[in-house]
Amino acid sequence: MPECLTTLGRNRLDFERSTYSIPAAPKSAGRLKSFQFPLNTDGESCNPWLVKSPIIAVNRTASTLVGFVALTGIYFGCGKLGLALAPHYSSISPIWPATGVALAAMLIFGKRVWPAIFIGALLVNLTAVSAVHFWPKLFQAMGIATGNTLEALAGAWLANRFADGGRAFERVASIFRYTLLTGALATMLSATIGTMSLWTCGLLSGAQFPHAWLTWWLGDMGGAVTVAPLIVIWSAHQQPPPHWRRLPEFVALIVLLICALQLTFSTSFLFWKTSHSLALPLIPFLIWAGLRFEARGAILVVFLMSCFAVVGTLHGIGPFAHSDQNTSLLLLQNFMCVSSVAGLVLAAATAERDSAETALRDTNDQLQLALAASRTGTWTRELMGSRRGQWSAQVEAIFGLNSGEFDGSEEMFYSLVHPEDRNRVRKAIVDTISAGEQEVEVEYRFLRRGGTVGWMLSRGRIIYDANGKPLQIVGVDIDLTSRRETEMALVKSEERFRRLIATANEGIWEVDTNARTMHVNPRMTEIFGYTAQEFAGCSVFELVHPDDLSRVKAGWGTPMDGQSEHSEWRLRRKNGDYAWIAASTSTLRDETGMAIGMLAMITDITERKQAEAHVRQLNTELEHRVQQRTAQLEGINKELEAFCYSVSHDLRAPLRTIRGFSEVVLEHYGPQLDDRGRDFLRRTSEAGIQMDKLIEDLLKLSRVTRGEIQSRQVNLSDLAQIVADELKRAEPGRAVEIIIAPDLVATGDERLLRLVLDNLLRNAWKFTGKHPRARIEFGRTTDEAPAFFVRDDGAGFDMAFAGKLFGVFQRLHNPSEFPGSGVGLAIVQRAINRHGGRVWAEGAVESGATFYFTVPGF
Amino acid sequence: MSKKTILLVEDNANDEFLTLRALRKYNVANDVVIARDGAEALDYLFGTGTYEGRDVKDLPIVVLLDLKLPKIDGLEVLRRVRENENTRLLPVVILTSSNEERDVISGYKLGTNSYVQKPVDFTAFVDAVGQLGLYWMMLNEPLPQQK
């Protein structure tokens, strides 16, 4: 049976879909609607069935056929059962479950199942044991089958039209309509057509007719009100979930019921067979099921009762057993109908009550939620007698009290109201009452636990008695604190911004989408000299310098949200001057996000611009001067070079002559001269040598000044080591310890740095010459700004003359003590100066000297 | 085969005297031709001017060339000597007072065979010039005369 239902249900849906895919006229659509599967008014819920169906892939026609055959078979079976119970007429039974099957099938699957019912009914009657010939029998069977089919069609139509169709058993009103229209009215069709058919065929006499009709009618009605609800209710797939906690109770109900039924309809126990009141003990079970187990439980109990009662009554046992079996069955039928209707009504009423209660509870929950969410609570206060008040937990929560902490007294309420507002609250209530008005509304501050202040809005309604005496006030408290705080914060922030705009050092210019002034701050009037009135309605573009206008217009209105555009341009002051301004513009938007204009922050940068221009001019002048100087210097350099070249060539030749010819004289005429003459010539010759050295050193010095510096990393320690090695090689006899700190590196010109170290180390070597042992050190200081140094423990110098050390030809020692031209340190100083470094010396007579120099990295 | 001659290009009479004396001391003053400026030196080498008709194939064994010269200076003389096909390979020694770097570099760039600074000290001068003469006259194997 379930499979058959599934199959039919599925096909029904398929049919529906194919129908809906065709655009149909409203009328035909309405007609099609009656096809809808009654239990699934919401088409969606059918889908699970479809998906779960195991035979979904089976050929549709075949499954439809199987469904039809199954329904026909069931109808046929039920019909045969009914006829088997028919005591008087072979075709009329007081027990006729087939009607119930037919109606249920119509309600579940729609009227298209009618052929199955018709064929089923036809077969039942054709196969009935009868003495008549075939043709009259066929005619009679056709008539009865037609009656049965029409009965089912009409019953289902009435149920669908007036009693919610498949949901007829969920509401009390529809149960009554179903019982009356389908159960009582529609079944008359079958009874009338059926008995007429029998009568026409002569199988029924006129005298038998009324009784036969009544039996038929009651039998069908029994099927309609007991079997049809059973099938419809239990086959509804959209059932409420079973209450598993009630399962033991349900089992107890069924066990007790079966016991009671056993007692009522068993032979051995009861001897007052025919007392109808014996059925009354069954009623409590019906009530029990109806109250506790909904329609499903109630109809199940009715079904069980019916089964036992039918079997018992057929055996002549039980309260309905009568001497005439037909009468017994009619009585039984009567009982079953009443039980069924009563059970269903009870269940429906209970369900309706339950759902109403649930709905009420839901509504209340929603209300509480809404109150909590809106920080709203309810309260009442008696205005006569006790004057006690009652607060909802919400009100207590707003006041910061625990639930139930409010003692109901007026004193406690007023103690929570801010002292400054207490009288106002009291007065508001008193005034309303004295004016005889109902509504009172007052806003006040209240003190929370912990001392913080909150804002409350109380609305109350005063209830008066018939004499106009106030009885009670009922109202709500709304917590306004957060709204108030937001408002105050907003006011504060607005105030802050207003002050900011008014006192800002920048001009603030609000303009509309046409760049026309909407508002300017005082600073704007200061910068430009126009009054706020003169600014009003004036366009930005009217004031922009003509040269800047196209640029400003191009950049206007481009900034995206949250960004600002910075630009610098000129604006005309009232006195006609142009002010240079730096403007930072951003888009102004209204609440809907529509651009309503621009906000420009204006800074007067005229002075800066002037200063910039001045600096530019100075720079130009400076550059010009530098060029001039450079040209001069280049000239001087060229002259110097020419001079040096000339010195190098021309000054030496005479020296060579002096020297050469002195020697020649000495050689040739030496013997003719006396000692003095020879001495004079020798002095002349030596002076020439001395002058040649001076010239050579001067040229070296000038070379230091000339030439490009080629800067790179130079390892000074390595250079110092080379010089030290040379010195030791030249005078291997001297005991001089030369200590060179490793890996001292500087960035500079290697040639010049080599000269520096060469001169300093040779200097140190020279001035330690008078000491038997000496120590020379090259290293770097560990100061914050480290300097290289060359230290010796030689003759040293008097610090009073330190300033002379680095001058050209300046010597602190007599040439007879220490030879030299006095150019070496001058070379050192020039070389270091060319690197941007510094050179200085420390020393004392006979305590050595230290020469420091720095080489800032290039 | 012609005599081994030295061409001394020197404008300073004192230096000329001292040079010749130094060469004589080393016995290499066989045949010294003196040119008192650059133009005269070139005339001698190329057979022009006052030396019109001289056999230009008869080249000195070495030219001792001063740099600072009237008319045409030493470096220019050197340049022209190196340009001339006949004197291209002629040994030229620069003998001058200057040891300016740029002179030394220019001299070598133009193809001098040696660069010698005249020392102021006479002894040193005599040694330098004498050894120079000795080297070129006695030790150095001259380029075969081109016919």
Side-chain angles (χ1 to χ4, degrees):
Chain A
M1 175 78 177
E3 188 158 302
C4 151
L5 286 176
T6 311
T7 315
L8 282 166
R10 196 176 68 78
N11 287 312
R12 154 108 232 96
L13 272 169
D14 287 341
F15 174 69
E16 248 177 57
R17 291 209 175 143
S18 60
T19 314
Y20 277 134
S21 67
I22 304 161
K27 196 184 166 191
S28 65
R31 189 166 51 79
L32 283 165
K33 205 167 179 197
S34 68
F35 276 86
Q36 272 189 335
F37 186 19
L39 288 178
N40 298 296
T41 43
D42 53 338
E44 272 304 306
S45 58
C46 286
N47 282 341
W49 237 21
L50 254 181
V51 173
K52 283 173 195 162
S53 171
I55 50 167
I56 191 153
V58 177
N59 184 284
R60 185 186 302 176
T61 320
S63 56
T64 309
L65 203 64
V66 169
F68 266 71
V69 171
L71 183 57
T72 310
I74 291 163
Y75 189 92
F76 181 75
C78 289
K80 277 290 170 196
L81 179 71
L83 284 186
L85 301 175
H88 285 193
Y89 318 100
S90 59
S91 301
I92 307 172
S93 171
I95 304 290
W96 194 248
T99 296
V101 170
L103 271 172
M106 287 275 182
L107 286 175
I108 295 168
F109 304 118
K111 62 184 179 187
R112 66 200 275 265
V113 301
W114 70 265
I117 290 157
F118 182 79
I119 294 165
L122 196 65
L123 288 173
V124 168
N125 285 287
L126 280 177
T127 54
V129 182
S130 168
V132 291
H133 297 297
F134 177 75
W135 286 113
K137 191 173 181 178
L138 181 65
F139 173 78
Q140 164 224 336
M142 290 281 275
I144 292 172
T146 306
N148 285 353
T149 310
L150 284 177
E151 171 196 63
L153 282 168
W157 183 82
L158 286 167
N160 283 326
R161 180 75 178 75
F162 299 107
D164 299 339
R167 308 185 69 157
F169 312 111
E170 290 175 19
R171 288 174 53 229
V172 174
S174 54
I175 292 171
F176 281 125
R177 282 195 212 112
Y178 175 85
T179 309
L180 190 68
L181 297 173
T182 306
L185 204 60
T187 45
M188 285 181 183
L189 264 176
S190 173
T192 307
I193 296 172
T195 46
M196 289 291 279
S197 310
L198 290 176
W199 180 70
T200 311
C201 293
L203 292 169
L204 208 62
S205 67
Q208 287 172 315
F209 190 88
H211 185 260
W213 187 89
L214 188 65
T215 307
W216 195 306
W217 180 54
L218 284 174
D220 279 15
M221 198 202 301
V225 298
T226 54
V227 178
L230 180 76
I231 296 170
V232 168
I233 288 169
W234 278 87
S235 68
H237 76 282
Q238 205 185 22
Q239 307 217 5
H243 300 282
W244 294 111
R245 279 183 295 119
R246 289 191 187 170
L247 187 65
E249 184 186 338
F250 185 68
V251 171
L253 166 67
I254 298 299
V255 169
L256 288 173
L257 174 68
I258 289 171
C259 290
L261 287 168
Q262 196 66 31
L263 279 176
T264 311
F265 297 101
S266 78
T267 44
S268 55
F269 185 70
L270 296 164
F271 48 89
W272 56 85
K273 294 177 183 177
T274 53
S275 172
H276 294 178
S277 57
L278 252 172
L280 291 180
L282 298 174
I283 301 301
F285 291 101
L286 201 59
I287 294 170
W288 184 359
L291 285 177
R292 300 285 293 168
F293 299 104
E294 298 150 10
R296 271 182 294 176
I299 200 68
L300 186 68
V301 166
V302 169
F303 177 68
L304 285 173
M305 278 162 54
S306 304
C307 289
F308 276 83
V310 167
V311 173
T313 306
L314 283 175
H315 286 87
I317 304 159
F320 308 112
H322 198 266
S323 53
D324 175 19
Q325 199 179 24
N326 205 47
T327 310
S328 310
L329 290 175
L330 283 173
L331 284 171
L332 171 64
Q333 192 61 269
N334 189 29
F335 171 73
M336 278 157 57
C337 288
V338 171
S339 302
S340 176
V341 172
L344 288 173
V345 165
L346 194 58
T350 309
E352 277 176 19
R353 191 202 63 200
D354 285 352
S355 76
E357 262 179 23
T358 309
L360 194 61
R361 207 164 38 240
D362 288 351
T363 309
N364 192 42
D365 286 351
Q366 282 168 3
L367 182 64
Q368 289 303 324
L369 266 174
L371 287 175
S374 62
R375 304 276 301 155
T376 304
T378 54
W379 50 267
T380 60
R381 176 168 297 284
E382 298 303 323
L383 294 174
M384 298 288 286
S386 71
R387 298 192 67 86
R388 296 200 70 76
Q390 262 197 332
W391 286 2
S392 72
Q394 269 301 320
V395 175
E396 289 180 312
I398 295 169
F399 277 101
L401 303 179
N402 295 326
S403 185
E405 202 177 341
F406 179 60
D407 65 5
S409 66
E410 265 190 307
E411 290 72 30
M412 183 162 180
F413 165 62
Y414 282 111
S415 75
L416 293 168
V417 176
H418 192 284
E420 291 172 17
D421 293 348
R422 280 172 199 161
N423 284 333
R424 201 158 49 78
V425 175
R426 255 194 209 97
K427 192 166 175 296
I429 297 172
V430 169
D431 286 356
T432 310
I433 292 171
S434 60
E437 286 169 0
Q438 287 191 319
E439 303 290 339
V440 57
E441 182 177 308
V442 61
E443 208 176 304
Y444 56 89
R445 286 167 292 171
F446 64 91
L447 303 169
R448 285 212 197 90
R449 177 166 294 163
T452 56
V453 174
W455 282 89
M456 186 79 85
L457 173 68
S458 282
R459 281 205 190 105
R461 174 181 281 260
I462 296 160
I463 297 163
Y464 298 91
D465 69 1
N467 301 323
K469 275 196 159 186
L471 291 175
Q472 202 186 29
I473 178 165
V474 183
V476 291
D477 276 354
I478 302 165
D479 185 2
L480 295 182
T481 310
S482 64
R483 195 200 299 171
R484 276 280 164 161
E485 280 169 354
T486 312
E487 280 170 9
M488 284 194 302
L490 201 64
V491 167
K492 264 189 192 168
S493 118
E494 263 180 21
E495 172 58 27
R496 202 161 52 234
F497 279 114
R498 196 168 298 127
R499 219 169 28 233
L500 198 66
I501 288 175
T503 59
N505 202 31
E506 274 82 36
I508 294 170
W509 199 353
E510 288 171 55
V511 297
D512 62 16
T513 45
N514 296 320
R516 295 200 168 275
T517 307
M518 298 195 291
H519 179 256
V520 290
N521 71 341
R523 179 70 186 142
M524 283 294 287
T525 63
E526 282 172 34
I527 296 175
F528 296 101
Y530 304 103
T531 62
Q533 288 73 31
E534 284 168 324
F535 263 120
C538 171
S539 164
V540 172
F541 303 135
E542 287 169 30
L543 299 180
V544 174
H545 192 286
D547 293 352
D548 296 341
L549 193 57
S550 58
R551 186 161 57 87
V552 173
K553 276 187 171 167
W556 198 254
T558 50
M560 302 296 288
D561 279 335
Q563 292 178 352
S564 57
E565 179 96 2
H566 300 276
S567 51
E568 294 181 0
W569 23 278
R570 282 161 290 179
L571 277 175
R572 196 172 63 243
R573 296 190 213 260
K574 196 176 184 185
N575 65 11
D577 289 352
Y578 278 95
W580 266 105
I581 56 117
S584 145
T585 49
S586 51
T587 308
L588 284 175
R589 292 185 185 281
D590 66 5
E591 304 76 35
T592 62
M594 271 274 289
I596 54 164
M598 306 281 289
L599 178 92
M601 301 276 289
I602 308 283
T603 312
D604 186 354
I605 56 164
T606 311
E607 281 181 23
R608 199 192 81 199
K609 281 282 177 185
Q610 283 169 351
E612 277 173 10
H614 189 57
V615 167
R616 258 200 306 281
Q617 192 192 339
L618 283 182
N619 271 341
T620 315
E621 279 174 23
L622 191 65
E623 212 163 287
H624 185 62
R625 244 182 272 172
V626 166
Q627 275 173 0
Q628 277 184 337
R629 287 282 155 83
T630 309
Q632 279 175 5
L633 272 177
E634 274 168 8
I636 290 169
N637 257 347
K638 272 197 184 123
E639 273 174 39
L640 182 65
E641 242 171 82
F643 172 74
C644 288
Y645 190 72
S646 160
V647 167
S648 182
H649 277 270
D650 301 344
L651 249 52
R652 278 182 165 164
L655 288 176
R656 209 159 37 244
T657 308
I658 293 168
R659 177 81 181 176
F661 282 88
S662 303
E663 290 293 326
V664 172
V665 170
L666 279 174
E667 208 177 298
H668 278 244
Y669 308 102
Q672 281 141 291
L673 290 175
D674 60 4
D675 284 352
R676 277 184 78 194
R678 282 195 291 275
D679 181 45
F680 291 164
L681 269 178
R682 207 168 289 120
R683 283 177 191 238
T684 310
S685 171
E686 270 167 16
I689 296 285
Q690 181 65 25
M691 189 167 167
D692 184 52
K693 272 208 178 119
L694 286 173
I695 290 171
E696 184 61 34
D697 283 351
L698 267 178
L699 287 174
K700 271 189 199 160
L701 183 63
S702 79
R703 272 184 214 124
V704 171
T705 321
R706 286 143 46 198
E708 287 287 308
I709 285 206
Q710 284 164 354
S711 191
R712 59 190 184 90
Q713 275 234 322
V714 180
N715 189 323
L716 296 182
S717 301
D718 287 354
L719 292 182
Q721 192 59 54
I722 292 168
V723 179
D725 291 346
E726 274 177 25
L727 289 169
K728 282 181 175 167
R729 239 192 332 271
E731 288 184 68
R734 282 191 54 186
V736 181
E737 186 190 8
I738 302 181
I739 300 155
I740 294 166
D743 299 326
L744 296 182
V745 177
T747 305
D749 186 286
E750 187 175 357
R751 188 176 61 94
L752 292 181
L753 292 174
R754 185 190 288 272
L755 267 179
V756 168
L757 285 172
D758 189 79
N759 275 295
L760 289 177
L761 288 168
R762 277 180 202 282
N763 220 36
W765 183 268
K766 184 164 71 184
F767 287 101
T768 52
K770 296 277 190 285
H771 293 197
R773 302 189 69 80
R775 189 172 187 275
I776 297 171
E777 192 185 346
F778 170 61
R780 185 163 55 181
T781 62
T782 51
D783 302 351
E784 218 172 286
F788 299 104
F789 64 84
V790 174
R791 179 177 295 141
D792 65 65
D793 53 1
F797 62 90
D798 187 344
M799 279 299 276
F801 305 114
K804 284 188 158 188
L805 274 175
F806 299 99
V808 187
F809 301 135
Q810 296 286 349
R811 307 202 70 239
L812 298 184
H813 296 272
N814 195 295
S816 57
E817 274 184 289
F818 296 103
S821 62
V823 175
L825 288 178
I827 289 175
V828 168
Q829 189 179 43
R830 293 229 179 147
I832 292 300
N833 284 352
R834 289 210 67 189
H835 283 89
R838 209 161 65 83
V839 57
W840 69 100
E842 284 171 4
V845 176
E846 284 306 317
S847 299
T850 307
F851 288 85
Y852 298 94
F853 64 95
T854 59
V855 186
F858 271 51
Chain B
M1 176 142 174
S2 56
K3 275 199 293 184
K4 287 183 176 174
T5 55
I6 291 173
L7 176 61
L8 174 65
V9 190
E10 176 62 74
D11 61 323
N12 187 317
N14 292 331
D15 276 356
E16 180 196 324
F17 175 83
L18 293 172
T19 304
L20 288 175
R21 188 178 164 80
L23 290 174
R24 248 196 314 279
K25 277 211 162 183
Y26 277 81
N27 296 316
V28 286
N30 310 20
D31 192 1
V32 178
V33 178
I34 313 285
R36 297 218 155 65
D37 59 51
E40 194 183 339
L42 291 176
D43 278 347
Y44 176 80
L45 291 173
F46 299 154
T48 53
T50 46
Y51 292 97
E52 183 80 60
R54 198 186 80 80
D55 177 13
V56 294
K57 293 289 175 197
D58 180 17
L59 287 175
I61 204 148
V62 65
V63 178
L64 299 178
L65 181 66
D66 194 8
L67 287 185
K68 269 209 109 192
L69 294 169
K71 297 183 186 168
I72 297 172
D73 75 12
L75 290 173
E76 181 61 21
V77 171
L78 177 60
R79 199 176 61 73
R80 294 201 196 170
V81 165
R82 290 288 176 252
E83 274 174 8
N84 189 289
E85 185 55 32
N86 190 42
T87 56
R88 199 165 50 87
L89 301 170
L90 179 66
V92 175
V93 172
I94 292 174
L95 181 68
T96 181
S97 307
S98 156
N99 64 344
E100 281 292 303
E101 200 175 77
R102 61 169 193 186
D103 284 342
V104 179
I105 290 170
S106 308
Y108 278 111
K109 268 190 184 164
L110 289 171
T112 184
N113 297 72
S114 256
Y115 191 107
V116 178
Q117 191 194 2
K118 297 175 192 166
V120 169
D121 182 59
F122 183 64
T123 321
F125 180 83
V126 169
D127 284 352
V129 174
Q131 279 171 18
L132 201 60
L134 204 61
Y135 171 79
W136 287 106
M137 299 296 289
M138 307 295 176
L139 299 175
N140 189 47
E141 182 64 34
L143 195 72
Q145 287 286 330
Q146 292 164 341
K147 299 291 171 199

